[in-house]
Amino acid sequence: MISNTETTLCLVIGANSAIAQSLTHQQLAQGNRVVAVSRTALAFSHPHLTSLVCDNSESDIEAVCARIAHETDLDKLRYAIIFNGLLHNDKISPEKRLEHINQYQLVQSFQANSITPALWMQHLLPILQQSSGCHLCCFSARVGSINDNRLGGWYSYRASKAALNMLVKTFAIEYARRAKKVKLVAFHPGTTDTLLSQPFQKNVSPEALFKPAFVAEQLLANLAKLPADQQASYIDWQGKNIDW
């Protein structure tokens, strides 16, 4: 059973990312319970940690959500955080010119940055309806802001994160009717020292390159300040609003 008698419960999706692992360790150190979902099981264990494997197909997402709903004390669920995202891998990298755009990269970017989070937000609704108050947060990026786009480039990443922002905002409208105690948030973590940002850290000053543990702390501190107002929020690591 995943049920518990601890203070709070945190659902971490995409749990093998560096920031997700830092957040998981912080929550466990505070005596809270974590349900961590990832494509491969976490490499560490803890009495208050439940690690679930999900390949992010729609059927697997639905099955994992059904298990969480059946085995978890949902009243204690306070945070559901979706860390899934893709900027680059061994086959794709951010496009510098429009000639670099290709169908494969667009599909991969939208699958990871938009479609997978959307499926999670869809299938989490019955779970979050049973919470006494929860923040549902997706990791977005400032480059997903249409109004903030002044440099161009990074076509597939920008577009897929902008799509994610629209999905969060649209889900929030329906959640406001069906899960009034849930607050939806799109979060920009800043440039964090992770595998995702490593190829792009050359021109980042040391004070602007954050440790994963710092971002995890900022995330929960800022979420705690946001009331369930039936509106979507798009914020950065400082808690400042970003233009959609």
Side-chain angles (χ1 to χ4, degrees):
M1 293 289 288
I2 306 173
S3 59
N4 69 290
T5 57
E6 303 303 321
T7 305
T8 64
L9 172 67
C10 183
L11 174 59
V12 179
I13 299 167
N16 266 319
S17 78
I19 301 173
Q21 289 196 29
S22 291
L23 185 143
T24 295
H25 285 299
Q26 290 171 13
Q27 286 290 290
L28 294 173
Q30 294 172 20
N32 296 321
R33 179 167 287 275
V34 176
V35 176
V37 183
S38 51
R39 285 179 292 181
T40 57
L42 297 184
F44 58 92
S45 60
H46 188 280
H48 294 161
L49 171 66
T50 299
S51 180
L52 303 177
V53 174
C54 179
D55 65 9
N56 286 330
S57 65
E58 184 167 10
S59 59
D60 219 19
I61 290 172
E62 188 173 8
V64 168
C65 286
R67 179 178 173 185
I68 294 171
H70 179 67
E71 300 182 8
T72 307
D73 188 352
L74 298 176
D75 182 65
K76 293 181 171 61
L77 181 60
R78 296 294 176 267
Y79 302 103
I81 305 172
I82 302 170
F83 288 87
N84 298 75
L86 173 67
L87 174 58
H88 65 90
N89 57 28
D90 58 348
K91 295 182 179 179
I92 68 173
S93 60
E95 310 95 337
K96 295 181 180 179
R97 304 174 61 191
L98 62 86
E99 287 85 357
H100 298 157
I101 298 171
N102 63 79
Q103 181 176 350
Y104 176 81
Q105 181 154 332
L106 285 165
V107 170
Q108 295 300 307
S109 296
F110 273 85
Q111 181 66 52
N113 297 326
S114 313
I115 297 172
T116 294
L119 292 173
W120 276 109
M121 287 189 283
Q122 175 192 16
H123 291 291
L124 283 172
L125 175 61
I127 292 172
L128 300 182
Q129 284 175 320
Q130 300 180 59
S131 169
S132 58
C134 184
H135 289 79
L136 172 57
C137 177
C138 291
F139 263 53
S140 184
R142 191 181 298 276
V143 297
S145 166
I146 293 175
N147 194 50
D148 190 65
N149 184 1
R150 297 176 180 86
L151 298 176
W154 290 36
Y155 287 88
S156 56
Y157 189 70
R158 284 185 184 276
S160 59
K161 288 298 187 180
L164 172 65
N165 291 343
M166 178 59 81
L167 286 163
V168 170
K169 198 169 179 71
T170 307
F171 269 101
I173 294 170
E174 187 160 355
Y175 265 73
R177 298 194 298 267
R178 302 174 63 182
K180 295 182 182 296
K181 296 179 180 180
V182 179
K183 171 71 174 180
L184 273 72
V185 180
F187 178 74
H188 167 61
T191 304
T192 310
D193 189 10
T194 65
L195 291 174
L196 183 143
S197 71
Q198 278 182 359
F200 314 101
Q201 295 178 7
K202 180 173 61 175
N203 297 320
V204 180
S205 61
E207 63 272 15
L209 182 62
F210 305 136
K211 297 296 184 184
F214 170 77
V215 176
E217 291 170 357
Q218 290 295 111
L219 170 61
L220 290 188
N222 284 305
L223 290 183
K225 299 174 185 177
L226 296 174
D229 56 1
Q230 289 78 57
Q231 302 289 325
S233 292
Y234 181 21
I235 64 170
D236 67 11
W237 59 274
Q238 300 174 90
K240 294 182 178 179
N241 291 320
I242 302 174
D243 288 341
W244 294 96

